[in-house]
């Protein structure tokens, strides 16, 4: 908690040689210029919460995933909540930059994240998935995630005023 990581290939990393991981919280960190801030490969992970982090990454050796859980591992009860994810203000091109690249997760929650528009997502072989209340940096509901509307029924609205006088009664909602 409370770390600043700059210029690494991976921020939080686990693979078969590091052994299994359980009951981990990764919170209130800054990952800057990190290829894959949260990366697990060929390992078992239980009860991982990644919350309220600021991720501002660039591609590193062709790697550009905010959260990666490879298909060779097994993951249970993973929560990705309240993070802000950008790629240093650059609009992602068609080069595979991803918000989520997750596989083999049982019990996944992805909620209340702010994500740069255009980042891709890949979910494979996941069960008991809850994805909701994720928005882009402009406050628009992310449409490239299969997420449900907010459980309380409240969604953000954009209100614009196109009139030139203060008393004109025109407002449009989007």
């Amino acid at each position: 908690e409370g770390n600043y990581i700059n210029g690494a290939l991976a921020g939080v990393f686990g693979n078969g040689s590091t052994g299994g991981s359980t009951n981990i919280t990764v919170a209130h960190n800054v990952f800057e210029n990190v290829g894959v801030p949260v990366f697990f490969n060929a390992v078992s992970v239980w009860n991982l919460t990644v919350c309220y982090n600021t991720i501002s990454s660039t591609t590193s050796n062709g790697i550009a995933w905010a959260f990666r859980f490879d298909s060779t591992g097994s993951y249970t009860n993973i929560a990705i909540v309240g993070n802000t994810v950008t790629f240093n203000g650059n609009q992602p091109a068609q080069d595979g930059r991803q918000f989520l690249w997750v596989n083999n997760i049982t019990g996944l929650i992805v909620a209340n994240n702010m994500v740069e528009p255009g980042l891709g997502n890949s979910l494979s072989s996941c069960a008991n998935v809850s994805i909701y209340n994720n928005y882009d940096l402009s406050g628009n509901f992310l449409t490239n995630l299969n997420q449900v509307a907010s459980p309380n029924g409240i969604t953000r609205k954009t209100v614009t005023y196109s009139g030139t006088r203060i008393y004109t009664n025109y407002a449009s909602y989007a």
Side-chain angles (χ1 to χ4, degrees), residues 19-44:
S21 300
T22 188
N23 300 331
I24 301 172
T25 300
V26 179
H28 305 286
N29 300 290
V30 174
F31 298 93
E32 189 169 345
N33 299 315
V34 177
V36 188
V38 178
F39 185 12
F40 289 97
N41 177 29
V43 67
S44 294

Side-chain angles (χ1 to χ4, degrees), residues 9-120:
L9 184 60
V12 176
F13 176 75
N15 68 9
S17 65
T18 61
S21 300
T22 188
N23 300 331
I24 301 172
T25 300
V26 179
H28 305 286
N29 300 290
V30 174
F31 298 93
E32 189 169 345
N33 299 315
V34 177
V36 188
V38 178
F39 185 12
F40 289 97
N41 177 29
V43 67
S44 294
V45 177
W46 300 274
N47 305 327
L48 169 68
T49 301
V50 183
C51 58
Y52 311 114
N53 298 288
T54 300
I55 296 170
S56 179
S57 295
T58 58
T59 56
S60 176
N61 297 326
I63 297 173
W65 301 282
F67 300 97
R68 182 168 178 155
F69 294 78
D70 276 352
S71 60
T72 54
S74 172
Y75 316 101
T76 305
N77 298 334
I78 307 298
I80 299 171
V81 177
N83 301 286
T84 301
V85 179
T86 66
F87 274 84
N88 287 335
N90 300 321
Q91 276 296 331
Q94 299 297 327
D95 63 359
R97 294 179 187 174
Q98 303 279 322
F99 168 51
L100 300 173
W101 182 281
V102 298
N103 300 275
N104 299 336
I105 298 178
T106 301
L108 172 64
I109 297 172
V110 179
N112 304 322
N113 297 287
M114 297 294 291
V115 181
E116 185 168 318
L119 293 179

Side-chain angles (χ1 to χ4, degrees), residues 117-131:
L119 293 179
N121 298 288
S122 175
L123 287 83
S124 178
S125 302
C126 296
N128 301 328
V129 176
S130 295
I131 300 177

